[in-house]
Structures are given as structure tokens and as C-alpha cells.
Amino acid sequence: MPSPVTVIGGGIAGVACARALATGGVGAVVLDRALRPGGRMASRTMRGGRVVDIGASYLTASDGSEFAGVVGGWVDRGLARPWTDTFAVAGAGGIERTTTGPVRYAAPGGLRSLVADLAADVDVRHERTVEHVRPGPTVDGEEVPAVALAMPDPQARRLLDAATADRLLGDRTWEPALAVVVGFERRSWPADLHGVFVHDDDVLAWIADDGDRRGDGAPVLVAHTTPELARAHLADPDAAIPAVTAAVDRVLGLGTAPAWTTVHRWTFARPAEARPEPFGLVDGIGACGDGWAAPSRVEAAWTSGTALGRALVRAG
Ligand SMILES: Cc1cc2nc3c(=O)[nH]c(=O)nc-3n(C[C@H](O)[C@H](O)[C@H](O)COP(=O)(O)OP(=O)(O)OC[C@H]3O[C@@H](n4cnc5c(N)ncnc54)[C@H](O)[C@@H]3O)c2cc1C
């Protein structure tokens, strides 16, 4: 039996890539450095054993797309649910209006549970940090028929020699973010808040009502910072918490101190500008994820991973 294609990265792009390979009759193994699948669709268990989404806030699916079918399957099985199409919009001084857009989907079990569902039939090996990928291709010195790097460009670049990285990835900037989880004793914001896009603020970009999106009404908000605030605190994210909680209080007018807080650093949260091409592939070394199939979001990552998997099937 031929060796399986190696997919590095167990986020939604890597898992989608492995599934597309398997559907095409090509074996695949996914290696991920983390304990569990999900990548930036990250859900962490916190106070009282409750899960909080600390990466992606929600997902969207373009009308009529293949991904919309995947999301529909999750909704049918109760793994995902339509959350809202309406959010508040705030300036630095507070909430100004609402805005309506596409339906945003959330997951009662946390967004990570959706990647875990996709990965159910996939051979995912956790706590496996890959050090280098070289032309051949080889993965940490072992020959493989092909390899897919399913991760942010700067993480993929670390694995490659400079010439291959330049050919495959070019040079693109990725932006950081901090996700600050702010827990309260009780809810003191409007029930129909859902989430808030914050404009023209030095600290905040977005606040999500985690209890609302997850459907249990827990008094938990998750605030995402601006890239600038994150960049200034990458070495010590905890130091950003007071500024973030003060900004949440200012924007929502709460007047209540949080009961607990925690912060997660995303050094490579999103590409400053994603590519329109669905994936990269040079001499058996592929790249996929939300840096491709723009605009950058969960749907793009799934689409990119699936497209790369199918291309590797065609390449034999
Ligand atoms: C704060 C934040 C908010 C977001 N909000 C939204 C949103 O509301 N809606 C939306 O659609 N999208 C959102 N996104 C983007 C969304 O999370 C991503 O588009 C999507 O999850 C990317 O999936 P991926 O598989 O391409 O990459 P990732 O999920 O980053 O997966 C990469 C994987 O590679 C692994 N890895 C990296 N290096 C190695 C190595 N050397 N060896 C082994 N494994 C390795 C990592 O552990 C990780 O699991 C947000 C992202 C962030 C960070």
C-alpha cells in the first residue's frame, strides 16, 4: 500500500484536505502539534467545566456552496445552530446602531466540536510538532508522496527552506489578536446584543456574547482586540487585560466589575490580505488554509483544504 499523504495541521483546512484525499481513494495522515483538533476554531473549558470559544466567533456559509451543505448537516444533527444575522455596532463611546448581514452559525459544544466531527474518520496524530519539510518531499527527514501545510503562512514558512517558502507562499503579513474572556456573576447587558463590532477604538475590535451564541445564557463575553493592541502585548498578554475590561465596560456601559478573566494570544490570527487562489502546490508540497480562497474565514479554510486535497488526488 502506498504511503499516505502527510497533512500538517489539524485545523478545519487540514481535516478537510485529509477528507478530500480519502474520498479520492488516497490515504492521509494529519499531524498536529496540539492536544486536540480545531486550530483557531478553538474552544477551551473554563469555569464550571463550561466551554468558551476563544478563536473564531462564528462561521458563515455562502448560499448554495458546498460548505453550506456541510453546515446544514451539522445543523440537522444539532452540532451547529443559526445564531443571528444582526450585531450591534459601536464607536469608542458606545453602541450606535445595529447591522444585519449573513446568518452566523455557532456551536453549542464550541466551534472546535465541528472540526472534531469532521475529523472523526480521519487519522489525526496529536502532539506531533513537525520541524521541517524539504523538497522531495520529506517531512522531518522521511520521504512522503506529498505533503500539505494547512496553517498560517508564517507557521508554514518556519518549516520550509527559504527558496521553497518564497515559491509557495510569497511574502504576506499576518495580524495578531488577543481574545480576552470576561466572566461576570450575572448578565447585565441587553438580551439581544449578540455581539458588537467596535470601530475606531484603540483597544477593541469585537465583543461576542458567548452565553448567547452557545445557547446557555452564561454571563460570559469574549472580547477581541485590535491587531495594534495585540502586537504591543504579545510578550505579556495578561498585561492587556485591564485595558480590555475597561474598554468592554466603556463600550457596553456595564458599570460592573468582571468576576474572572483570562486571555489567549493569537500571534497569527488572520492574514492582512488573503489570496484569491484556492491553494498553493509546488513539487508535491502544498499549502492551504484561510490565507487562501479569500476572504479569510472558516469557510475559506474548508474550501482551500478541500481543493488542495482534490488536486493532490488528481496529481496521483
Ligand atoms: C481571534 C480570531 C477570531 C476569528 N473569528 C472568525 C469568525 O468569526 N468567523 C470566521 O469565519 N473565521 C474567524 N476566524 C478565522 C478562522 O478561525 C480561521 O479562518 C480558520 O479556523 C483557519 O483554519 P486553518 O485550518 O486554516 O488554520 P488553523 O485553524 O490555524 O490550523 C492550523 C493548525 O496547524 C497546527 N500547526 C501549526 N504548526 C504546526 C507544526 N509545526 N506541526 C504540527 N502542527 C502545526 C496548529 O496546531 C493548528 O491546529 C478567527 C480567527 C481568530 C484567531
Side-chain angles (χ1 to χ4, degrees):
M1 200 157 111
S3 318
V5 169
T6 300
V7 178
I8 309 171
I12 194 165
V15 171
C17 183
R19 284 175 65 100
L21 283 159
T23 302
V26 177
V29 56
V30 177
L31 308 179
D32 196 288
R33 64 185 181 185
L35 206 57
R36 297 186 295 174
R40 279 170 285 155
M41 290 172 71
S43 314
R44 191 191 286 170
T45 304
M46 298 195 182
R47 291 283 169 111
R50 184 180 177 277
V51 167
V52 180
D53 279 314
I54 57 168
S57 293
Y58 51 75
L59 53 87
T60 51
S62 308
D63 283 347
S65 65
E66 210 179 332
F67 187 62
V70 174
V71 175
W74 284 329
V75 171
D76 289 346
R77 289 187 292 135
L79 294 175
R81 66 186 198 101
W83 174 24
T84 182
D85 62 0
T86 302
F87 292 124
V89 179
I95 291 175
E96 293 165 354
R97 60 189 170 88
T98 59
T99 181
T100 299
V103 173
R104 275 65 165 208
Y105 294 88
L111 288 177
R112 195 188 72 75
S113 68
L114 304 179
V115 184
D117 179 65
L118 280 185
D121 298 326
V122 176
D123 181 358
V124 186
R125 309 204 181 148
H126 293 291
E127 298 185 90
R128 174 71 167 79
T129 302
V130 173
E131 303 291 345
H132 47 83
V133 171
R134 294 288 179 264
T138 64
V139 174
D140 289 345
E142 274 188 38
E143 273 185 41
V144 293
V147 56
L149 285 79
M151 60 186 68
D153 289 19
Q155 292 175 343
R157 186 166 267 281
R158 284 177 194 152
L159 304 184
L160 298 165
D161 62 82
T164 308
D166 287 346
R167 284 177 70 202
L168 185 63
L169 304 170
D171 185 16
R172 281 173 186 254
T173 307
W174 282 60
E175 294 181 334
L178 301 180
V180 178
V181 183
V182 191
F184 295 85
E185 293 298 344
R186 62 189 63 82
R187 298 173 67 86
S188 61
W189 50 90
D192 61 353
L193 184 75
H194 309 308
V196 187
F197 293 118
V198 187
H199 295 161
D200 306 321
D201 191 73
D202 293 339
V203 177
L204 289 182
W206 159 252
I207 305 168
D209 181 341
D210 195 66
D212 183 58
R213 73 178 158 197
R214 299 270 320 294
D216 66 356
V220 177
L221 301 172
V222 180
H224 292 175
T225 70
T226 60
E228 294 73 26
L229 194 280
R231 211 167 280 124
H233 292 86
L234 284 179
D236 184 9
D238 283 325
I241 291 176
V244 173
T245 54
V248 168
D249 188 64
R250 168 168 45 79
V251 167
L252 297 183
L254 299 178
T256 319
W260 57 278
T261 55
T262 179
V263 61
H264 185 87
R265 169 185 51 205
W266 295 105
T267 305
F268 307 114
R270 59 182 64 85
E273 203 182 320
R275 313 159 177 82
E277 296 82 16
F279 58 84
L281 184 56
V282 171
D283 300 337
I285 303 178
C288 63
D290 64 338
W292 304 84
S296 159
R297 52 168 93 120
V298 167
E299 179 173 13
W302 182 90
T303 303
S304 171
T306 301
L308 176 58
R310 288 173 182 163
L312 292 172
V313 170
R314 286 195 298 276

